[in-house]
Amino acid sequence: WCCARPRVECNDILTMLSLRFLIIIPTLYAIALPMSLSPSRSQFVSIVSGGQSPSPRRTSSLGYDNGSEENYTRQDLRRKRWNLLSNPMAATTALASTSSPSQHDEIKPIYKFGVLTDIQYAPIPDGHSYSGNPRYYRHAKEAAEHAAIHFQKEQVQCVINLGDIVDGKCSDVERWGGSVTNTDHGEVLEEEKKTGGISAGHDAIDGVLKALSLYTGRTLHTYGNHELYNLSRQELAHKLSIPFKRESTNDLVGYYDYLLQKPQQPSSMKVRFLILDSYDICLLDRCPETSPKRQLAHDL
């Protein structure tokens, strides 16, 4: 830069170098801080061993292991340790807490709840998402089962499912190398087969809900675009117990609330969950002729 700008002032160079110095110093400090506060240097070094960042977690991304709880726990631990590098302040807190396990054991939550999202099960062979990420479609149901077992073991008071319980490819499983067997919707599927596609959306959702039923508490469902690729809102109301309301525009919307008011520890605090309908204004499953929400989505 200095060669390209021979008239640069000395003060400008000093300012530039000072700024670079200020950027480097906090970076080094952020890297050194967790190491200095960790119980042992070897413990921190073990966190970064391998030099590779774990792949981004998806509900169905653990298809390469044998599905045991031990392997799931090991993968989760590795990801948590890697996160200590990307967030130095979190690393400081986490590592400091490991040095005093007795204090950590005394901390008990007032409320406990679980969160699920993007299970995206489909009865088709493994493949890739539209963005190229590896996908283990059939294994997603097994991953959901592991989650339900974990929630039951932890005795969470409710579970929130954030949507996309099945994958959009369920709407035409034959196209993606799958097949439909043991279905209760034979007549519908035969009609769809004549028109060129077989939908397994109903049975796919039933299969995932059966896996999630290993958790016996309350599950608060919402829905995403992948559900709408397979089922209507009326059908989702029945399958997922979403209390859809019909507005004056004749459009169904699925928002509701749930009050959690029995704390596990003495407390006067109550927690209210607000479940929003993120597909209120959208093109999917809205009447092209009469729905103002569909028209608004089209304009957007």
Side-chain angles (χ1 to χ4, degrees):
W1 187 80
C2 292
C3 294
R5 298 285 302 274
R7 295 183 180 180
V8 67
E9 297 293 337
C10 180
N11 289 338
D12 293 336
I13 296 176
L14 291 176
T15 301
M16 181 180 66
L17 292 177
S18 299
L19 289 173
R20 181 169 296 181
F21 178 77
L22 290 173
I23 293 172
I24 292 174
I25 289 302
T27 305
L28 294 177
Y29 176 75
I31 295 174
L33 180 60
M35 188 177 297
S36 65
L37 294 180
S38 61
S40 66
R41 181 182 179 89
S42 61
Q43 179 182 356
F44 185 80
V45 172
S46 68
I47 295 174
V48 298
S49 61
Q52 297 291 331
S53 171
S55 58
R57 174 161 191 173
R58 296 186 65 87
T59 325
S60 55
S61 65
L62 303 180
Y64 48 79
D65 63 36
N66 61 18
S68 68
E69 182 176 356
E70 180 183 356
N71 279 333
Y72 273 79
T73 302
R74 185 173 64 252
Q75 292 296 328
D76 284 343
L77 181 60
R78 181 168 177 255
R79 288 183 173 92
K80 289 175 182 176
R81 286 176 173 175
W82 182 263
N83 287 339
L84 300 185
L85 286 180
S86 60
N87 189 343
M89 295 307 296
T92 303
T93 304
L95 291 176
S97 65
T98 60
S99 62
S100 54
S102 60
Q103 295 179 2
H104 179 72
D105 293 340
E106 294 174 0
I107 300 175
K108 296 182 179 180
I110 300 174
Y111 291 97
K112 293 171 67 175
F113 60 94
V115 177
L116 283 166
T117 187
D118 294 89
I119 298 173
Q120 293 187 225
Y121 164 74
I124 60 175
D126 296 340
H128 294 82
S129 67
Y130 292 111
S131 58
N133 294 320
R135 299 295 310 281
Y136 305 95
Y137 294 103
R138 288 194 175 100
H139 177 76
K141 187 163 60 175
E142 183 179 341
E145 186 175 300
H146 275 274
I149 293 173
H150 175 74
F151 293 146
Q152 187 70 17
K153 181 180 177 181
E154 293 293 325
Q155 296 183 334
V156 300
Q157 294 163 277
C158 70
V159 170
I160 302 100
N161 165 35
L162 299 180
D164 287 350
I165 195 172
V166 294
D167 194 87
K169 293 179 180 178
C170 288
S171 62
D172 190 358
V173 292
E174 285 192 334
R175 175 187 175 188
W176 303 103
S179 60
V180 179
T181 58
N182 192 27
T183 176
D184 295 329
H185 306 281
E187 295 181 1
V188 176
L189 294 177
E190 284 301 320
E191 183 65 27
E192 291 179 348
K193 189 171 183 179
K194 295 176 184 178
T195 61
I198 292 182
S199 172
H202 285 271
D203 291 318
I205 288 183
D206 288 343
V208 177
L209 291 177
K210 182 179 179 180
L212 294 178
S213 68
L214 294 175
Y215 167 70
T216 58
R218 175 69 182 271
T219 298
L220 309 175
H221 290 285
T222 183
Y223 70 102
N225 57 314
H226 286 267
E227 282 90 352
L228 290 178
Y229 294 148
N230 291 277
L231 284 80
S232 67
R233 286 177 174 83
Q234 290 92 333
E235 292 168 322
L236 291 175
H238 174 70
K239 294 281 187 183
L240 302 179
S241 300
I242 299 176
F244 283 94
K245 301 175 180 64
R246 191 173 297 277
E247 295 187 337
S248 58
T249 59
N250 204 35
D251 289 313
L252 290 174
V253 292
Y255 53 84
Y256 59 103
D257 69 288
Y258 179 72
L259 181 62
L260 203 60
Q261 53 184 339
K262 294 183 179 180
Q264 294 185 340
Q265 304 299 325
S267 175
S268 60
M269 182 179 69
K270 298 179 182 179
V271 178
R272 184 180 298 275
F273 294 96
L274 301 179
I275 293 83
L276 305 180
D277 189 337
S278 57
Y279 281 85
D280 180 11
I281 299 174
C282 77
L283 301 174
L284 298 171
D285 195 38
R286 297 291 192 207
C287 179
E289 289 79 22
T290 63
S291 172
K293 293 177 181 288
R294 190 185 193 281
Q295 183 60 48
L296 180 57
H298 180 272
D299 295 340
L300 291 174

